[in-house]
Amino acid sequence: MSYIPLLVDIKNISKSYKDAPYPAVDHLSFSLSKGDIFGLLGPNGAGKTTLISMLCGLFKPSAGEIYINGFNMQSHPNQCKQVIGVVPQEIALYPKLTAWENLLFLGHMYGLSGDALRDKIKLNLQILGLEANMHQKIQSYSGGMKRRVNLIAGLLHDPQLLILDEPTVGVDIQSKQAIIDHLKKLNRERGMTILYTSHHLDEAEDFCTHIAIIDTGKLITQGATRELISQYNCKSIEEVYLKITGQKFRDK
Amino acid sequence: MKLLYSIYKEYKVLIRDRAGLAITFIMPTILVLIITLIQDTTFRSVNENAITLLLVDRDHDSLSVQMERALNTTRFFEITKKNLSNEEAREQVAAGKYIIGIIVPEHTSEQLRKRSGDKVATLMASISGDSTQAVTTDTSKLPLQLYFDPITKKTFQSIISNSLERILSQLEMQNMVTALNANMKESFPLANPKPLEMQPLVSIREEYASPHNSSIIPNSVQHNVPAWSMFAMFFICIPLAGNIIREREDGSAFRLLTMPGSYMYVILGKMLTYVIVSLLQFTLMMAMGIYILPMLGLPQLNVGDHVFSLFVVALASGLAATGFGLLVGTVSTSHDQASLFGAVFVIMLAAIGGVWVPTFVMPEVMRKLSGISPLNWGLEAFYGIFLRNAGLKAVLPQVLKLFGFFLACLAGAFYYQKYRRLK
């Protein structure tokens, strides 16, 4: 059996907000090997966004440690951030700028420049079918087109770890397929590790090699997708999810 | 490169936001124009408007002629001569048509000459010992009637009365000297005495206590252009705060914060862009004061000789305004909150700082309080350059205060952001 190095190692982290009765993340530990497509699933308020924020170095954990590519996020945030690409749930683009201008700006912020950056932008726009519209303002784009540009923005610096927060929410089936296919290709061809959150459980089952389900800040279960389904004696991840988290509404 | 692209991005976002551009450039320009036009009359009445004076001259002799000439020399009065009764003159002043009414009764000059001559004759008689030459002088005072508009203050009335008394004393003295010379010539024809001349022995030199004796009187343009420029520069906090909040709400800030070291460049890019915008605003306002306002019959803005000092004050003001915008954007949780908080706070600082009503007409307490407003620091520095022709050294305290405010805002924003992330 060959050794696959860990890219992300989360050790017993917790996060408590001031005035909140319970911790948002409660002594959570898991790891991602290089090349994993890791689905982080959980109901609303489970602690997914807080966990991702800590993973990206935005929030400091109340306890525990995060290692990315061997570096501690607390002591070496820049080395950790260099490895990460983030695709937020929101369309984190400037509506009055064109797709080209947005990507050029974000590329420069990642420290890229010149022809290498321009070629990379063109290639990504071409792959995701946006080349013809690249000089149109983002505000004139459809939801699916915006999502695709949002994805490209996270890929410009060829990150080893891509963190996707509900990347296909509110998009048409064609855009959704284009996004998933492109991510699978990146994982297959470049060995890109992907951490993905979604409420589309069928999409997660199809896309992810590994899945972790968290609820009320705690890790409920994790493992390889197929193994989890058989472990809980279910037919799908959706069944596993409902079995574990229950049928109650989770509105706060 | 990161910084340049950050500035380029802000520039593109700004230039494509037509409403934002209108708020940033057109609205302050219109505001300066309107307020300056409105306040011009008020400033003129304080500074340079002639005082309307009704002169009822029944004397038509040397006293009234010389008094009119003396009053005209001061250039403070706009004299209207009318033939009215005392009651009619009083009514016209009471109605506010004139601020002052002066009635010179008939034969006043003649009476003055006669009494001066009598005084001199009595004096000469007492010297020669010839009591037959002595004349009984009428010691009753000659009646010169003054009417004041009821709105005038006591101090103003005293100044006018004193000035008239001085003119009358001069005339009285002149008459006495003339009579004395005539009498001396008559009394000592062989001695041929040299006539006594009335020349002032003391001269008063008046100068403005500015380095180059510059004598610019504050007017509506001199006040309103820098005052509303400061206001417009600080109002930039609203679009800047909105820009920061929008980035936070749409996830851009989240993405930028995940990039190694890039968010600092983004913030720096924002700040520099908005400082450049505030300098452009300032330049536009100055150009308006120099070229546009005079076309509308308003005084031309005199920016003094120290253009570099002007630039330094404008830069410090721009930095202070941008720092404030950054703080508002960091602390506020929504666009509405930032707009409301930013607008109310800037309006309050403007009111305290003497933008709306100049500090020199404020009560003592408010004048002292105005020193806490950054808008007042900038305004005082502009006053220094425009009105006192002050150089950089003279306005340095205000510049340092503005720069200190900028640093305090930056530190506040930085620590609040850190606190929020650690919360």
Side-chain angles (χ1 to χ4, degrees):
Chain A
M1 196 173 149
S2 62
Y3 168 73
I4 304 171
L6 289 181
L7 187 65
V8 179
D9 195 11
I10 295 169
K11 290 184 173 174
N12 207 25
I13 59 161
S14 296
K15 177 73 185 176
S16 300
Y17 292 111
K18 219 176 175 182
D19 307 326
Y22 306 106
V25 173
D26 194 1
H27 297 93
L28 208 143
S29 297
F30 64 87
S31 55
L32 271 77
S33 298
K34 285 187 178 173
D36 278 354
I37 301 180
F38 195 96
L40 189 64
L41 309 179
N44 291 334
K48 298 189 297 289
T49 305
T50 302
L51 180 62
I52 286 177
S53 296
M54 287 191 287
L55 211 53
C56 296
L58 258 66
F59 291 163
K60 192 179 165 187
S62 308
E65 283 171 335
I66 297 170
Y67 290 89
I68 292 175
N69 208 24
F71 291 104
N72 187 306
M73 181 55 97
Q74 293 280 88
S75 53
H76 297 86
N78 281 348
Q79 283 90 334
C80 293
K81 286 178 179 180
Q82 202 73 54
V83 177
I84 302 172
V86 180
V87 181
Q89 187 180 342
E90 300 86 4
I91 305 293
L93 300 165
Y94 299 94
K96 290 192 188 295
L97 300 189
T98 65
W100 176 261
E101 287 165 342
N102 265 288
L103 295 171
L104 207 58
F105 163 68
L106 291 167
H108 277 95
M109 291 302 110
Y110 274 121
L112 310 169
S113 60
D115 288 342
L117 173 62
R118 285 180 168 76
D119 291 345
K120 196 167 279 181
I121 294 171
K122 269 184 200 162
L123 182 71
N124 276 288
L125 286 167
Q126 200 178 12
I127 292 169
L128 286 168
L130 292 163
E131 203 182 12
N133 311 89
M134 66 182 182
H135 294 302
Q136 280 176 19
K137 286 180 193 167
I138 290 293
Q139 64 189 19
S140 69
Y141 275 28
S142 69
M145 289 161 87
K146 286 177 188 170
R147 284 269 162 218
R148 282 180 271 161
V149 181
N150 207 29
L151 173 65
I152 296 171
L155 295 170
L156 289 172
H157 63 304
D158 291 327
Q160 290 184 54
L161 172 66
L162 185 66
I163 299 174
L164 301 148
D165 194 3
E166 302 204 34
T168 56
V169 71
V171 300
D172 59 88
I173 195 78
Q174 287 80 5
S175 288
K176 188 172 159 181
Q177 203 52 53
I179 289 169
I180 295 295
D181 286 350
H182 189 51
L183 290 171
K184 279 181 176 172
K185 194 177 164 201
L186 288 169
N187 173 261
R188 195 171 55 244
E189 291 177 1
R190 293 193 212 160
M192 188 180 279
T193 308
I194 296 168
L195 177 67
Y196 157 97
T197 77
S198 180
H199 288 291
H200 299 300
L201 301 183
D202 51 341
E203 183 185 286
E205 186 181 322
D206 169 55
F207 181 47
C208 300
T209 56
H210 291 76
I211 279 174
I213 298 174
I214 62 169
D215 197 6
T216 58
K218 293 187 179 80
L219 182 70
I220 309 296
T221 189
Q222 68 160 325
T225 310
R226 294 291 138 208
E227 283 171 19
L228 271 183
I229 293 170
S230 59
Q231 186 187 329
Y232 284 90
N233 201 20
C234 295
K235 287 177 187 157
S236 66
I237 280 295
E238 190 169 334
E239 265 188 51
V240 176
Y241 182 88
L242 286 171
K243 201 169 188 176
I244 294 172
T245 60
Q247 304 263 1
K248 278 186 186 172
F249 290 120
R250 295 307 180 89
D251 301 328
K252 281 189 175 175
Chain B
M1 206 63 175
K2 279 187 179 184
L3 183 60
L4 275 179
Y5 258 87
S6 182
I7 293 172
Y8 179 70
K9 182 267 289 180
E10 292 299 336
Y11 161 74
K12 284 272 181 189
V13 171
L14 254 177
I15 210 83
R16 288 177 188 169
D17 180 9
R18 284 182 193 165
L21 278 178
I23 290 171
T24 311
F25 290 108
I26 299 169
M27 275 177 65
T29 314
I30 294 170
L31 205 60
V32 167
L33 186 71
I34 293 170
I35 305 280
T36 309
L37 281 166
I38 290 170
Q39 289 192 351
D40 189 52
T41 321
T42 315
F43 272 86
R44 274 180 201 270
S45 70
V46 172
N47 296 316
E48 51 196 53
N49 253 15
I51 297 160
T52 49
L53 186 147
L54 170 68
L55 181 62
V56 180
D57 181 12
R58 295 185 199 134
D59 181 47
H60 303 292
D61 203 342
S62 57
L63 174 72
S64 58
V65 170
Q66 289 191 44
M67 195 167 73
E68 192 184 339
R69 193 181 301 149
L71 289 170
N72 271 326
T73 314
T74 64
R75 294 184 181 176
F76 292 143
F77 303 99
E78 187 186 311
I79 301 170
T80 306
K81 286 176 81 174
K82 276 187 180 176
N83 196 9
L84 300 172
S85 68
N86 281 23
E87 198 47 44
E88 284 168 333
R90 177 203 278 270
E91 279 171 9
Q92 294 212 356
V93 173
K97 209 168 173 186
Y98 303 98
I99 297 198
I100 307 163
I102 302 176
I103 294 167
V104 186
E106 52 190 358
H107 310 306
T108 309
S109 298
E110 195 186 320
Q111 286 284 318
L112 196 65
R113 275 195 300 273
K114 186 177 178 307
R115 286 183 191 192
S116 300
D118 288 352
K119 273 185 185 171
V120 170
T122 307
L123 175 73
M124 295 305 288
S126 69
I127 293 167
S128 65
D130 183 2
S131 59
T132 57
Q133 296 290 317
V135 179
T136 314
T137 314
D138 184 357
T139 53
S140 65
K141 298 212 169 179
L142 295 167
L144 191 79
Q145 182 67 52
L146 286 186
Y147 293 120
F148 286 104
D149 187 335
I151 63 155
T152 55
K153 287 186 176 176
K154 272 278 172 210
T155 46
F156 176 78
Q157 294 176 16
S158 301
I159 291 165
I160 298 296
S161 300
N162 290 341
S163 302
L164 284 172
E165 265 175 28
R166 196 163 63 99
I167 294 166
L168 291 170
S169 297
Q170 251 177 334
L171 283 170
E172 201 176 326
M173 188 61 76
Q174 184 68 55
N175 282 338
M176 283 174 76
V177 167
T178 310
L180 186 65
N181 284 338
N183 215 311
M184 291 283 279
K185 208 172 178 181
E186 197 178 299
S187 303
F188 309 103
L190 295 174
N192 194 21
K194 197 177 173 190
L196 189 63
E197 282 179 7
M198 248 198 72
Q199 276 182 341
L201 300 175
V202 180
S203 73
I204 297 169
R205 282 185 64 196
E206 290 178 2
E207 258 183 43
Y208 288 95
S210 61
H212 307 293
N213 185 24
S214 101
S215 57
I216 303 161
I217 301 162
N219 55 43
S220 59
V221 173
Q222 228 81 36
H223 167 73
N224 280 310
V225 173
W228 292 100
S229 297
M230 284 300 296
F231 184 78
M233 285 161 100
F234 267 80
F235 226 72
I236 221 170
C237 78
I238 295 171
L240 174 57
N243 180 311
I244 292 167
I245 290 164
R246 209 164 30 244
E247 272 189 3
R248 210 164 53 216
E249 283 175 348
D250 70 12
S252 301
F254 178 87
R255 195 204 300 270
L256 292 164
L257 279 163
T258 64
M259 297 176 181
S262 292
Y263 201 59
M264 191 187 73
Y265 289 102
V266 175
I267 293 294
L268 209 59
K270 268 189 215 306
M271 269 173 42
L272 287 175
T273 308
Y274 278 86
V275 166
I276 293 167
V277 168
S278 66
L279 288 176
L280 286 174
Q281 275 183 325
F282 182 74
T283 311
L284 186 72
M285 301 289 221
M286 293 297 114
M288 189 149 160
I290 296 167
Y291 303 110
I292 309 290
L293 296 182
M295 289 180 193
L296 302 168
L298 293 164
Q300 189 181 37
L301 178 70
N302 186 337
V303 293
D305 303 327
H306 299 277
V307 180
F308 179 70
S309 308
L310 194 62
F311 170 75
V312 172
V313 175
L315 181 67
S317 306
L319 282 170
T322 311
F324 182 64
L326 201 68
L327 181 64
V328 172
T330 308
V331 173
S332 304
T333 50
S334 69
H335 202 278
D336 287 348
Q337 200 182 58
S339 303
L340 193 68
F341 175 75
V344 169
F345 210 74
V346 171
I347 288 168
M348 264 168 51
L349 288 178
I352 294 169
V355 168
W356 293 16
V357 178
T359 49
F360 56 80
V361 293
M362 281 183 183
E364 185 61 26
V365 182
M366 290 310 292
R367 213 176 311 164
K368 279 185 181 164
L369 196 67
S370 69
I372 63 163
S373 167
L375 278 85
N376 179 260
W377 307 334
L379 191 53
E380 285 298 319
F382 288 129
Y383 273 166
I385 294 167
F386 295 163
L387 307 176
R388 292 186 285 276
N389 208 11
L392 188 58
K393 200 177 165 189
V395 296
L396 202 60
Q398 281 91 5
V399 169
L400 289 176
K401 277 189 204 173
L402 286 164
F403 196 68
F405 180 77
F406 162 66
L407 291 178
C409 287
L410 275 194
F414 175 78
Y415 283 107
Y416 186 83
Q417 178 77 10
K418 200 173 169 186
Y419 160 78
R420 194 155 57 187
R421 284 171 69 181
L422 291 176
K423 205 165 73 169

